[in-house]
Amino acid sequence: MSVSVINYNRGMVRWEPDARGRLEQAALALYGERGFEQTTVAEIAERAGLTERTFFRHFADKREVLFWGQDALMALVTAHIADALDSASPFEAVGGALRAVGEIFEGRRAHARRRQAVIAANPGLQERELIKLASLAATMAEALGRRGVPQPAAKLTAETAVAIFKVAFDRWIRAGGDDDLTHVIGESLDELKALTADT
Amino acid sequence: MSVSVINYNRGMVRWEPDARGRLEQAALALYGERGFEQTTVAEIAERAGLTERTFFRHFADKREVLFWGQDALMALVTAHIADALDSASPFEAVGGALRAVGEIFEGRRAHARRRQAVIAANPGLQERELIKLASLAATMAEALGRRGVPQPAAKLTAETAVAIFKVAFDRWIRAGGDDDLTHVIGESLDELKALTADT
């Protein structure tokens, strides 16, 4: 890594450039090498060249390294569904929100792939990921409800949107090319439309 | 309850008519009254007029009272997808499987409603339910793969089918009328088709 580590450590003054990013990198590397359960916060901090105290300024615990940003994700999705054109259909509104989520992951495929491998190796983390996706569906259904989409259309659209996101995300992290996630989400939306039409 | 309780209890011979059903009723009633965590197996057995030993002949633990039958569910879904006509589209194949699942619940809405209320009140049980649904999606995707449905169509269809099932099940247990679950699943499939067409 070419990150230059500069620690000002005089009394109360401490500044660690990109401490958060370094802790995240160190944690993912260790979770991959040793397993999530076997890794301690002390080891993560050491690998990142930082203190445990710095770790806890950024993350509540070692699980949060994998699941931070969930509130921001929900807020983003809610805002995109609310801001969709009045003429947008429920699926168009959630499609725009999913594409916005896709943009967050631009240039982060290697990271996403490592994270996914850690989660796939640990049932407790898989449960946490499923809960996150269930919350995402509930958030989307609420946002659609505020646009005036009735039930069950709102829930059906939201649950299906999360199904599309799961499949697209999985495709994207397995794919060899350089398609971005937003593109794969768009393809998956089109494919679902073709699949449901063919009945 | 009008179940006549007959216990033959002479030495090794013991016969409890519908012990399983009585344990299930007793457990659901207690989970609803006291909460899942607060209920013990001893209390369930007592309420059912049976012994703890009988409980453990039917269920591995108090959680299994809520989640038994999962292997049979997966086998049913796999068989229905495999047996669908060669000409059936992926969505038609999973639609048939979902309707078959719906038939299992015929006449069991009050029971399903009580079970759902217990699960909704307990985060650990919600996780378990999400894992069950994720396994259902994986099972469907595999069965579609064996029909020759390529990826990502197989996963997309399977995840969307589970989304439809979740929404239909939720509608069905909330509904006041006497529609059966199979009917609500069919309506939800049609509604999703209309929603995706409208983009």
Side-chain angles (χ1 to χ4, degrees), chain B residues 35-71:
Chain B
F36 174 78
E37 292 294 351
Q38 288 71 45
T39 302
T40 67
V41 168
E43 289 165 338
I44 296 167
E46 198 196 336
R47 174 78 61 107
L50 296 163
T51 63
E52 278 189 70
R53 209 172 136 187
T54 301
F55 179 94
F56 288 116
R57 271 210 306 276
H58 290 281
F59 303 104
D61 54 36
K62 65 179 181 165
R63 207 170 67 159
E64 211 199 313
V65 181
L66 300 166
F67 292 101
W68 64 274
Q70 196 170 334
D71 292 346

PDB file of all heavy atoms in Angstrom, chain B residues 35-71:
ATOM      1  N   GLY B  35     -44.745 -14.816  25.239  1.00  0.00           N
ATOM      2  CA  GLY B  35     -43.558 -14.576  24.424  1.00  0.00           C
ATOM      3  C   GLY B  35     -42.791 -15.870  24.246  1.00  0.00           C
ATOM      4  O   GLY B  35     -42.798 -16.735  25.120  1.00  0.00           O
ATOM      5  N   PHE B  36     -42.119 -15.989  23.112  1.00  0.00           N
ATOM      6  CA  PHE B  36     -41.390 -17.205  22.770  1.00  0.00           C
ATOM      7  C   PHE B  36     -40.283 -17.493  23.778  1.00  0.00           C
ATOM      8  O   PHE B  36     -40.153 -18.604  24.288  1.00  0.00           O
ATOM      9  CB  PHE B  36     -40.813 -17.059  21.353  1.00  0.00           C
ATOM     10  CG  PHE B  36     -39.916 -18.185  20.946  1.00  0.00           C
ATOM     11  CD1 PHE B  36     -40.454 -19.405  20.549  1.00  0.00           C
ATOM     12  CD2 PHE B  36     -38.540 -18.042  20.958  1.00  0.00           C
ATOM     13  CE1 PHE B  36     -39.632 -20.458  20.181  1.00  0.00           C
ATOM     14  CE2 PHE B  36     -37.708 -19.092  20.585  1.00  0.00           C
ATOM     15  CZ  PHE B  36     -38.262 -20.300  20.200  1.00  0.00           C
ATOM     16  N   GLU B  37     -39.477 -16.472  24.089  1.00  0.00           N
ATOM     17  CA  GLU B  37     -38.332 -16.662  24.988  1.00  0.00           C
ATOM     18  C   GLU B  37     -38.768 -17.120  26.373  1.00  0.00           C
ATOM     19  O   GLU B  37     -38.090 -17.906  27.027  1.00  0.00           O
ATOM     20  CB  GLU B  37     -37.529 -15.351  25.134  1.00  0.00           C
ATOM     21  CG  GLU B  37     -36.786 -14.898  23.882  1.00  0.00           C
ATOM     22  CD  GLU B  37     -35.672 -15.849  23.477  1.00  0.00           C
ATOM     23  OE1 GLU B  37     -35.339 -16.788  24.235  1.00  0.00           O
ATOM     24  OE2 GLU B  37     -35.137 -15.663  22.365  1.00  0.00           O
ATOM     25  N   GLN B  38     -39.894 -16.592  26.818  1.00  0.00           N
ATOM     26  CA  GLN B  38     -40.340 -16.834  28.195  1.00  0.00           C
ATOM     27  C   GLN B  38     -41.018 -18.193  28.394  1.00  0.00           C
ATOM     28  O   GLN B  38     -41.327 -18.569  29.516  1.00  0.00           O
ATOM     29  CB  GLN B  38     -41.305 -15.719  28.643  1.00  0.00           C
ATOM     30  CG  GLN B  38     -40.642 -14.369  28.909  1.00  0.00           C
ATOM     31  CD  GLN B  38     -40.170 -13.659  27.655  1.00  0.00           C
ATOM     32  OE1 GLN B  38     -40.893 -13.602  26.678  1.00  0.00           O
ATOM     33  NE2 GLN B  38     -38.942 -13.139  27.662  1.00  0.00           N
ATOM     34  N   THR B  39     -41.273 -18.882  27.286  1.00  0.00           N
ATOM     35  CA  THR B  39     -41.985 -20.165  27.391  1.00  0.00           C
ATOM     36  C   THR B  39     -40.988 -21.323  27.460  1.00  0.00           C
ATOM     37  O   THR B  39     -40.022 -21.356  26.711  1.00  0.00           O
ATOM     38  CB  THR B  39     -42.903 -20.344  26.157  1.00  0.00           C
ATOM     39  OG1 THR B  39     -43.799 -19.244  26.100  1.00  0.00           O
ATOM     40  CG2 THR B  39     -43.686 -21.645  26.242  1.00  0.00           C
ATOM     41  N   THR B  40     -41.242 -22.276  28.365  1.00  0.00           N
ATOM     42  CA  THR B  40     -40.369 -23.459  28.454  1.00  0.00           C
ATOM     43  C   THR B  40     -41.071 -24.678  27.860  1.00  0.00           C
ATOM     44  O   THR B  40     -42.300 -24.711  27.750  1.00  0.00           O
ATOM     45  CB  THR B  40     -40.014 -23.777  29.925  1.00  0.00           C
ATOM     46  OG1 THR B  40     -41.220 -24.187  30.599  1.00  0.00           O
ATOM     47  CG2 THR B  40     -39.412 -22.581  30.632  1.00  0.00           C
ATOM     48  N   VAL B  41     -40.249 -25.658  27.493  1.00  0.00           N
ATOM     49  CA  VAL B  41     -40.792 -26.907  26.969  1.00  0.00           C
ATOM     50  C   VAL B  41     -41.677 -27.578  28.020  1.00  0.00           C
ATOM     51  O   VAL B  41     -42.733 -28.149  27.693  1.00  0.00           O
ATOM     52  CB  VAL B  41     -39.640 -27.843  26.520  1.00  0.00           C
ATOM     53  CG1 VAL B  41     -40.156 -29.258  26.249  1.00  0.00           C
ATOM     54  CG2 VAL B  41     -38.977 -27.294  25.256  1.00  0.00           C
ATOM     55  N   ALA B  42     -41.283 -27.483  29.279  1.00  0.00           N
ATOM     56  CA  ALA B  42     -42.084 -28.081  30.353  1.00  0.00           C
ATOM     57  C   ALA B  42     -43.492 -27.483  30.374  1.00  0.00           C
ATOM     58  O   ALA B  42     -44.487 -28.200  30.534  1.00  0.00           O
ATOM     59  CB  ALA B  42     -41.387 -27.843  31.699  1.00  0.00           C
ATOM     60  N   GLU B  43     -43.574 -26.167  30.172  1.00  0.00           N
ATOM     61  CA  GLU B  43     -44.882 -25.513  30.166  1.00  0.00           C
ATOM     62  C   GLU B  43     -45.733 -25.940  28.964  1.00  0.00           C
ATOM     63  O   GLU B  43     -46.946 -26.114  29.073  1.00  0.00           O
ATOM     64  CB  GLU B  43     -44.707 -23.985  30.159  1.00  0.00           C
ATOM     65  CG  GLU B  43     -44.189 -23.448  31.484  1.00  0.00           C
ATOM     66  CD  GLU B  43     -43.674 -22.009  31.379  1.00  0.00           C
ATOM     67  OE1 GLU B  43     -43.331 -21.554  30.265  1.00  0.00           O
ATOM     68  OE2 GLU B  43     -43.600 -21.347  32.422  1.00  0.00           O
ATOM     69  N   ILE B  44     -45.067 -26.099  27.819  1.00  0.00           N
ATOM     70  CA  ILE B  44     -45.797 -26.528  26.614  1.00  0.00           C
ATOM     71  C   ILE B  44     -46.373 -27.929  26.836  1.00  0.00           C
ATOM     72  O   ILE B  44     -47.552 -28.179  26.572  1.00  0.00           O
ATOM     73  CB  ILE B  44     -44.867 -26.534  25.374  1.00  0.00           C
ATOM     74  CG1 ILE B  44     -44.382 -25.112  25.060  1.00  0.00           C
ATOM     75  CG2 ILE B  44     -45.579 -27.135  24.161  1.00  0.00           C
ATOM     76  CD1 ILE B  44     -43.225 -25.042  24.070  1.00  0.00           C
ATOM     77  N   ALA B  45     -45.519 -28.825  27.339  1.00  0.00           N
ATOM     78  CA  ALA B  45     -45.963 -30.205  27.575  1.00  0.00           C
ATOM     79  C   ALA B  45     -47.129 -30.216  28.568  1.00  0.00           C
ATOM     80  O   ALA B  45     -48.141 -30.898  28.358  1.00  0.00           O
ATOM     81  CB  ALA B  45     -44.797 -31.046  28.090  1.00  0.00           C
ATOM     82  N   GLU B  46     -47.013 -29.435  29.624  1.00  0.00           N
ATOM     83  CA  GLU B  46     -48.057 -29.390  30.638  1.00  0.00           C
ATOM     84  C   GLU B  46     -49.378 -28.903  30.045  1.00  0.00           C
ATOM     85  O   GLU B  46     -50.436 -29.508  30.264  1.00  0.00           O
ATOM     86  CB  GLU B  46     -47.618 -28.477  31.793  1.00  0.00           C
ATOM     87  CG  GLU B  46     -48.435 -28.717  33.054  1.00  0.00           C
ATOM     88  CD  GLU B  46     -48.294 -27.588  34.063  1.00  0.00           C
ATOM     89  OE1 GLU B  46     -47.256 -26.869  34.017  1.00  0.00           O
ATOM     90  OE2 GLU B  46     -49.211 -27.409  34.873  1.00  0.00           O
ATOM     91  N   ARG B  47     -49.296 -27.807  29.302  1.00  0.00           N
ATOM     92  CA  ARG B  47     -50.520 -27.263  28.685  1.00  0.00           C
ATOM     93  C   ARG B  47     -51.186 -28.276  27.756  1.00  0.00           C
ATOM     94  O   ARG B  47     -52.412 -28.346  27.658  1.00  0.00           O
ATOM     95  CB  ARG B  47     -50.144 -25.985  27.916  1.00  0.00           C
ATOM     96  CG  ARG B  47     -51.253 -25.350  27.076  1.00  0.00           C
ATOM     97  CD  ARG B  47     -52.270 -24.529  27.875  1.00  0.00           C
ATOM     98  NE  ARG B  47     -51.700 -23.406  28.564  1.00  0.00           N
ATOM     99  CZ  ARG B  47     -51.846 -22.115  28.210  1.00  0.00           C
ATOM    100  NH1 ARG B  47     -52.539 -21.787  27.144  1.00  0.00           N
ATOM    101  NH2 ARG B  47     -51.293 -21.152  28.921  1.00  0.00           N
ATOM    102  N   ALA B  48     -50.339 -29.087  27.080  1.00  0.00           N
ATOM    103  CA  ALA B  48     -50.880 -30.095  26.157  1.00  0.00           C
ATOM    104  C   ALA B  48     -51.313 -31.368  26.881  1.00  0.00           C
ATOM    105  O   ALA B  48     -51.875 -32.271  26.257  1.00  0.00           O
ATOM    106  CB  ALA B  48     -49.838 -30.428  25.088  1.00  0.00           C
ATOM    107  N   GLY B  49     -51.044 -31.425  28.169  1.00  0.00           N
ATOM    108  CA  GLY B  49     -51.381 -32.639  28.922  1.00  0.00           C
ATOM    109  C   GLY B  49     -50.480 -33.808  28.572  1.00  0.00           C
ATOM    110  O   GLY B  49     -50.895 -34.970  28.598  1.00  0.00           O
ATOM    111  N   LEU B  50     -49.232 -33.500  28.210  1.00  0.00           N
ATOM    112  CA  LEU B  50     -48.277 -34.536  27.802  1.00  0.00           C
ATOM    113  C   LEU B  50     -46.970 -34.342  28.576  1.00  0.00           C
ATOM    114  O   LEU B  50     -46.831 -33.375  29.327  1.00  0.00           O
ATOM    115  CB  LEU B  50     -48.012 -34.430  26.294  1.00  0.00           C
ATOM    116  CG  LEU B  50     -49.243 -34.701  25.401  1.00  0.00           C
ATOM    117  CD1 LEU B  50     -49.007 -34.185  23.994  1.00  0.00           C
ATOM    118  CD2 LEU B  50     -49.584 -36.183  25.391  1.00  0.00           C
ATOM    119  N   THR B  51     -46.033 -35.255  28.363  1.00  0.00           N
ATOM    120  CA  THR B  51     -44.749 -35.128  29.066  1.00  0.00           C
ATOM    121  C   THR B  51     -43.719 -34.411  28.179  1.00  0.00           C
ATOM    122  O   THR B  51     -43.861 -34.343  26.961  1.00  0.00           O
ATOM    123  CB  THR B  51     -44.178 -36.518  29.407  1.00  0.00           C
ATOM    124  OG1 THR B  51     -43.922 -37.197  28.165  1.00  0.00           O
ATOM    125  CG2 THR B  51     -45.155 -37.319  30.255  1.00  0.00           C
ATOM    126  N   GLU B  52     -42.668 -33.914  28.833  1.00  0.00           N
ATOM    127  CA  GLU B  52     -41.558 -33.315  28.078  1.00  0.00           C
ATOM    128  C   GLU B  52     -40.950 -34.330  27.123  1.00  0.00           C
ATOM    129  O   GLU B  52     -40.527 -33.984  26.027  1.00  0.00           O
ATOM    130  CB  GLU B  52     -40.466 -32.832  29.046  1.00  0.00           C
ATOM    131  CG  GLU B  52     -40.767 -31.475  29.656  1.00  0.00           C
ATOM    132  CD  GLU B  52     -39.567 -30.944  30.422  1.00  0.00           C
ATOM    133  OE1 GLU B  52     -38.571 -30.591  29.770  1.00  0.00           O
ATOM    134  OE2 GLU B  52     -39.626 -30.900  31.667  1.00  0.00           O
ATOM    135  N   ARG B  53     -40.889 -35.598  27.596  1.00  0.00           N
ATOM    136  CA  ARG B  53     -40.311 -36.643  26.761  1.00  0.00           C
ATOM    137  C   ARG B  53     -41.091 -36.789  25.458  1.00  0.00           C
ATOM    138  O   ARG B  53     -40.518 -36.974  24.384  1.00  0.00           O
ATOM    139  CB  ARG B  53     -40.339 -37.958  27.541  1.00  0.00           C
ATOM    140  CG  ARG B  53     -39.236 -38.876  27.144  1.00  0.00           C
ATOM    141  CD  ARG B  53     -39.198 -40.050  28.088  1.00  0.00           C
ATOM    142  NE  ARG B  53     -39.012 -41.260  27.313  1.00  0.00           N
ATOM    143  CZ  ARG B  53     -39.060 -42.464  27.819  1.00  0.00           C
ATOM    144  NH1 ARG B  53     -39.334 -42.647  29.104  1.00  0.00           N
ATOM    145  NH2 ARG B  53     -38.858 -43.499  27.059  1.00  0.00           N
ATOM    146  N   THR B  54     -42.409 -36.682  25.562  1.00  0.00           N
ATOM    147  CA  THR B  54     -43.230 -36.749  24.341  1.00  0.00           C
ATOM    148  C   THR B  54     -42.933 -35.550  23.445  1.00  0.00           C
ATOM    149  O   THR B  54     -42.817 -35.687  22.227  1.00  0.00           O
ATOM    150  CB  THR B  54     -44.733 -36.786  24.708  1.00  0.00           C
ATOM    151  OG1 THR B  54     -44.957 -37.924  25.533  1.00  0.00           O
ATOM    152  CG2 THR B  54     -45.600 -36.872  23.473  1.00  0.00           C
ATOM    153  N   PHE B  55     -42.788 -34.369  24.061  1.00  0.00           N
ATOM    154  CA  PHE B  55     -42.428 -33.192  23.268  1.00  0.00           C
ATOM    155  C   PHE B  55     -41.183 -33.477  22.436  1.00  0.00           C
ATOM    156  O   PHE B  55     -41.164 -33.257  21.221  1.00  0.00           O
ATOM    157  CB  PHE B  55     -42.177 -31.981  24.177  1.00  0.00           C
ATOM    158  CG  PHE B  55     -41.774 -30.737  23.407  1.00  0.00           C
ATOM    159  CD1 PHE B  55     -42.725 -29.795  23.021  1.00  0.00           C
ATOM    160  CD2 PHE B  55     -40.445 -30.527  23.031  1.00  0.00           C
ATOM    161  CE1 PHE B  55     -42.366 -28.666  22.289  1.00  0.00           C
ATOM    162  CE2 PHE B  55     -40.074 -29.402  22.298  1.00  0.00           C
ATOM    163  CZ  PHE B  55     -41.042 -28.476  21.934  1.00  0.00           C
ATOM    164  N   PHE B  56     -40.155 -34.011  23.104  1.00  0.00           N
ATOM    165  CA  PHE B  56     -38.880 -34.204  22.400  1.00  0.00           C
ATOM    166  C   PHE B  56     -38.913 -35.375  21.422  1.00  0.00           C
ATOM    167  O   PHE B  56     -38.004 -35.513  20.618  1.00  0.00           O
ATOM    168  CB  PHE B  56     -37.731 -34.336  23.410  1.00  0.00           C
ATOM    169  CG  PHE B  56     -37.399 -33.023  24.069  1.00  0.00           C
ATOM    170  CD1 PHE B  56     -37.575 -32.846  25.436  1.00  0.00           C
ATOM    171  CD2 PHE B  56     -36.927 -31.944  23.319  1.00  0.00           C
ATOM    172  CE1 PHE B  56     -37.278 -31.622  26.046  1.00  0.00           C
ATOM    173  CE2 PHE B  56     -36.631 -30.718  23.914  1.00  0.00           C
ATOM    174  CZ  PHE B  56     -36.810 -30.557  25.282  1.00  0.00           C
ATOM    175  N   ARG B  57     -39.956 -36.207  21.488  1.00  0.00           N
ATOM    176  CA  ARG B  57     -40.103 -37.216  20.434  1.00  0.00           C
ATOM    177  C   ARG B  57     -40.603 -36.565  19.148  1.00  0.00           C
ATOM    178  O   ARG B  57     -40.378 -37.081  18.063  1.00  0.00           O
ATOM    179  CB  ARG B  57     -41.096 -38.307  20.867  1.00  0.00           C
ATOM    180  CG  ARG B  57     -40.457 -39.453  21.621  1.00  0.00           C
ATOM    181  CD  ARG B  57     -41.203 -40.762  21.399  1.00  0.00           C
ATOM    182  NE  ARG B  57     -42.626 -40.671  21.700  1.00  0.00           N
ATOM    183  CZ  ARG B  57     -43.141 -40.812  22.922  1.00  0.00           C
ATOM    184  NH1 ARG B  57     -42.360 -41.055  23.954  1.00  0.00           N
ATOM    185  NH2 ARG B  57     -44.432 -40.707  23.113  1.00  0.00           N
ATOM    186  N   HIS B  58     -41.275 -35.412  19.285  1.00  0.00           N
ATOM    187  CA  HIS B  58     -41.838 -34.751  18.107  1.00  0.00           C
ATOM    188  C   HIS B  58     -41.023 -33.559  17.606  1.00  0.00           C
ATOM    189  O   HIS B  58     -41.014 -33.268  16.419  1.00  0.00           O
ATOM    190  CB  HIS B  58     -43.274 -34.298  18.404  1.00  0.00           C
ATOM    191  CG  HIS B  58     -44.221 -35.443  18.533  1.00  0.00           C
ATOM    192  ND1 HIS B  58     -44.736 -36.092  17.439  1.00  0.00           N
ATOM    193  CD2 HIS B  58     -44.717 -36.071  19.623  1.00  0.00           C
ATOM    194  CE1 HIS B  58     -45.529 -37.068  17.853  1.00  0.00           C
ATOM    195  NE2 HIS B  58     -45.532 -37.088  19.163  1.00  0.00           N
ATOM    196  N   PHE B  59     -40.374 -32.851  18.526  1.00  0.00           N
ATOM    197  CA  PHE B  59     -39.654 -31.636  18.140  1.00  0.00           C
ATOM    198  C   PHE B  59     -38.285 -31.602  18.814  1.00  0.00           C
ATOM    199  O   PHE B  59     -38.156 -31.971  19.982  1.00  0.00           O
ATOM    200  CB  PHE B  59     -40.445 -30.387  18.564  1.00  0.00           C
ATOM    201  CG  PHE B  59     -41.830 -30.331  17.997  1.00  0.00           C
ATOM    202  CD1 PHE B  59     -42.937 -30.627  18.778  1.00  0.00           C
ATOM    203  CD2 PHE B  59     -42.033 -29.980  16.666  1.00  0.00           C
ATOM    204  CE1 PHE B  59     -44.231 -30.587  18.257  1.00  0.00           C
ATOM    205  CE2 PHE B  59     -43.315 -29.938  16.132  1.00  0.00           C
ATOM    206  CZ  PHE B  59     -44.417 -30.235  16.931  1.00  0.00           C
ATOM    207  N   ALA B  60     -37.283 -31.129  18.075  1.00  0.00           N
ATOM    208  CA  ALA B  60     -35.923 -31.053  18.630  1.00  0.00           C
ATOM    209  C   ALA B  60     -35.837 -29.989  19.726  1.00  0.00           C
ATOM    210  O   ALA B  60     -35.115 -30.137  20.709  1.00  0.00           O
ATOM    211  CB  ALA B  60     -34.923 -30.728  17.526  1.00  0.00           C
ATOM    212  N   ASP B  61     -36.576 -28.904  19.555  1.00  0.00           N
ATOM    213  CA  ASP B  61     -36.577 -27.825  20.551  1.00  0.00           C
ATOM    214  C   ASP B  61     -37.810 -26.946  20.321  1.00  0.00           C
ATOM    215  O   ASP B  61     -38.605 -27.216  19.414  1.00  0.00           O
ATOM    216  CB  ASP B  61     -35.287 -26.994  20.459  1.00  0.00           C
ATOM    217  CG  ASP B  61     -35.041 -26.470  19.055  1.00  0.00           C
ATOM    218  OD1 ASP B  61     -36.027 -26.119  18.365  1.00  0.00           O
ATOM    219  OD2 ASP B  61     -33.872 -26.407  18.636  1.00  0.00           O
ATOM    220  N   LYS B  62     -37.962 -25.925  21.139  1.00  0.00           N
ATOM    221  CA  LYS B  62     -39.206 -25.154  21.047  1.00  0.00           C
ATOM    222  C   LYS B  62     -39.273 -24.306  19.772  1.00  0.00           C
ATOM    223  O   LYS B  62     -40.355 -23.911  19.355  1.00  0.00           O
ATOM    224  CB  LYS B  62     -39.423 -24.303  22.312  1.00  0.00           C
ATOM    225  CG  LYS B  62     -38.414 -23.220  22.546  1.00  0.00           C
ATOM    226  CD  LYS B  62     -38.747 -22.421  23.817  1.00  0.00           C
ATOM    227  CE  LYS B  62     -37.718 -21.328  24.018  1.00  0.00           C
ATOM    228  NZ  LYS B  62     -38.113 -20.318  24.983  1.00  0.00           N
ATOM    229  N   ARG B  63     -38.114 -24.061  19.133  1.00  0.00           N
ATOM    230  CA  ARG B  63     -38.131 -23.323  17.881  1.00  0.00           C
ATOM    231  C   ARG B  63     -38.669 -24.169  16.737  1.00  0.00           C
ATOM    232  O   ARG B  63     -39.322 -23.674  15.831  1.00  0.00           O
ATOM    233  CB  ARG B  63     -36.716 -22.823  17.549  1.00  0.00           C
ATOM    234  CG  ARG B  63     -36.718 -21.577  16.711  1.00  0.00           C
ATOM    235  CD  ARG B  63     -35.344 -20.970  16.606  1.00  0.00           C
ATOM    236  NE  ARG B  63     -34.433 -21.814  15.865  1.00  0.00           N
ATOM    237  CZ  ARG B  63     -33.315 -21.390  15.281  1.00  0.00           C
ATOM    238  NH1 ARG B  63     -32.962 -20.119  15.387  1.00  0.00           N
ATOM    239  NH2 ARG B  63     -32.541 -22.209  14.635  1.00  0.00           N
ATOM    240  N   GLU B  64     -38.371 -25.468  16.821  1.00  0.00           N
ATOM    241  CA  GLU B  64     -38.807 -26.355  15.730  1.00  0.00           C
ATOM    242  C   GLU B  64     -40.324 -26.457  15.626  1.00  0.00           C
ATOM    243  O   GLU B  64     -40.848 -26.816  14.569  1.00  0.00           O
ATOM    244  CB  GLU B  64     -38.179 -27.745  15.905  1.00  0.00           C
ATOM    245  CG  GLU B  64     -37.942 -28.421  14.549  1.00  0.00           C
ATOM    246  CD  GLU B  64     -37.778 -29.925  14.676  1.00  0.00           C
ATOM    247  OE1 GLU B  64     -37.018 -30.360  15.552  1.00  0.00           O
ATOM    248  OE2 GLU B  64     -38.417 -30.642  13.889  1.00  0.00           O
ATOM    249  N   VAL B  65     -41.032 -26.151  16.707  1.00  0.00           N
ATOM    250  CA  VAL B  65     -42.500 -26.158  16.630  1.00  0.00           C
ATOM    251  C   VAL B  65     -42.960 -25.162  15.556  1.00  0.00           C
ATOM    252  O   VAL B  65     -43.969 -25.365  14.890  1.00  0.00           O
ATOM    253  CB  VAL B  65     -43.116 -25.777  17.999  1.00  0.00           C
ATOM    254  CG1 VAL B  65     -44.644 -25.800  17.934  1.00  0.00           C
ATOM    255  CG2 VAL B  65     -42.626 -26.708  19.099  1.00  0.00           C
ATOM    256  N   LEU B  66     -42.199 -24.099  15.380  1.00  0.00           N
ATOM    257  CA  LEU B  66     -42.551 -23.062  14.404  1.00  0.00           C
ATOM    258  C   LEU B  66     -41.983 -23.342  13.010  1.00  0.00           C
ATOM    259  O   LEU B  66     -42.439 -22.765  12.038  1.00  0.00           O
ATOM    260  CB  LEU B  66     -42.033 -21.696  14.883  1.00  0.00           C
ATOM    261  CG  LEU B  66     -42.588 -21.210  16.220  1.00  0.00           C
ATOM    262  CD1 LEU B  66     -41.758 -20.040  16.744  1.00  0.00           C
ATOM    263  CD2 LEU B  66     -44.049 -20.797  16.083  1.00  0.00           C
ATOM    264  N   PHE B  67     -40.933 -24.174  12.936  1.00  0.00           N
ATOM    265  CA  PHE B  67     -40.222 -24.308  11.656  1.00  0.00           C
ATOM    266  C   PHE B  67     -40.111 -25.733  11.126  1.00  0.00           C
ATOM    267  O   PHE B  67     -39.287 -26.002  10.279  1.00  0.00           O
ATOM    268  CB  PHE B  67     -38.819 -23.689  11.781  1.00  0.00           C
ATOM    269  CG  PHE B  67     -38.843 -22.204  11.937  1.00  0.00           C
ATOM    270  CD1 PHE B  67     -38.683 -21.610  13.184  1.00  0.00           C
ATOM    271  CD2 PHE B  67     -39.058 -21.390  10.838  1.00  0.00           C
ATOM    272  CE1 PHE B  67     -38.731 -20.227  13.335  1.00  0.00           C
ATOM    273  CE2 PHE B  67     -39.102 -20.010  10.977  1.00  0.00           C
ATOM    274  CZ  PHE B  67     -38.933 -19.422  12.229  1.00  0.00           C
ATOM    275  N   TRP B  68     -40.912 -26.660  11.657  1.00  0.00           N
ATOM    276  CA  TRP B  68     -40.827 -28.026  11.128  1.00  0.00           C
ATOM    277  C   TRP B  68     -41.370 -28.065   9.701  1.00  0.00           C
ATOM    278  O   TRP B  68     -42.023 -27.144   9.242  1.00  0.00           O
ATOM    279  CB  TRP B  68     -41.597 -29.012  12.016  1.00  0.00           C
ATOM    280  CG  TRP B  68     -43.071 -28.766  12.081  1.00  0.00           C
ATOM    281  CD1 TRP B  68     -43.733 -27.928  12.922  1.00  0.00           C
ATOM    282  CD2 TRP B  68     -44.070 -29.360  11.237  1.00  0.00           C
ATOM    283  NE1 TRP B  68     -45.065 -27.968  12.675  1.00  0.00           N
ATOM    284  CE2 TRP B  68     -45.309 -28.837  11.646  1.00  0.00           C
ATOM    285  CE3 TRP B  68     -44.038 -30.278  10.198  1.00  0.00           C
ATOM    286  CZ2 TRP B  68     -46.510 -29.198  11.039  1.00  0.00           C
ATOM    287  CZ3 TRP B  68     -45.234 -30.640   9.575  1.00  0.00           C
ATOM    288  CH2 TRP B  68     -46.451 -30.102  10.003  1.00  0.00           C
ATOM    289  N   GLY B  69     -41.020 -29.133   9.007  1.00  0.00           N
ATOM    290  CA  GLY B  69     -41.594 -29.335   7.671  1.00  0.00           C
ATOM    291  C   GLY B  69     -40.831 -28.648   6.556  1.00  0.00           C
ATOM    292  O   GLY B  69     -41.269 -28.636   5.411  1.00  0.00           O
ATOM    293  N   GLN B  70     -39.673 -28.074   6.897  1.00  0.00           N
ATOM    294  CA  GLN B  70     -38.944 -27.328   5.870  1.00  0.00           C
ATOM    295  C   GLN B  70     -38.394 -28.252   4.772  1.00  0.00           C
ATOM    296  O   GLN B  70     -38.454 -27.906   3.589  1.00  0.00           O
ATOM    297  CB  GLN B  70     -37.798 -26.548   6.532  1.00  0.00           C
ATOM    298  CG  GLN B  70     -37.267 -25.466   5.610  1.00  0.00           C
ATOM    299  CD  GLN B  70     -36.307 -24.537   6.323  1.00  0.00           C
ATOM    300  OE1 GLN B  70     -36.375 -24.362   7.530  1.00  0.00           O
ATOM    301  NE2 GLN B  70     -35.414 -23.933   5.562  1.00  0.00           N
ATOM    302  N   ASP B  71     -37.893 -29.427   5.149  1.00  0.00           N
ATOM    303  CA  ASP B  71     -37.378 -30.368   4.139  1.00  0.00           C
ATOM    304  C   ASP B  71     -38.487 -30.804   3.194  1.00  0.00           C
ATOM    305  O   ASP B  71     -38.289 -30.884   1.977  1.00  0.00           O
ATOM    306  CB  ASP B  71     -36.761 -31.611   4.806  1.00  0.00           C
ATOM    307  CG  ASP B  71     -35.480 -31.260   5.562  1.00  0.00           C
ATOM    308  OD1 ASP B  71     -34.951 -30.156   5.348  1.00  0.00           O
ATOM    309  OD2 ASP B  71     -35.032 -32.097   6.368  1.00  0.00           O
TER     310      ASP B  71
END
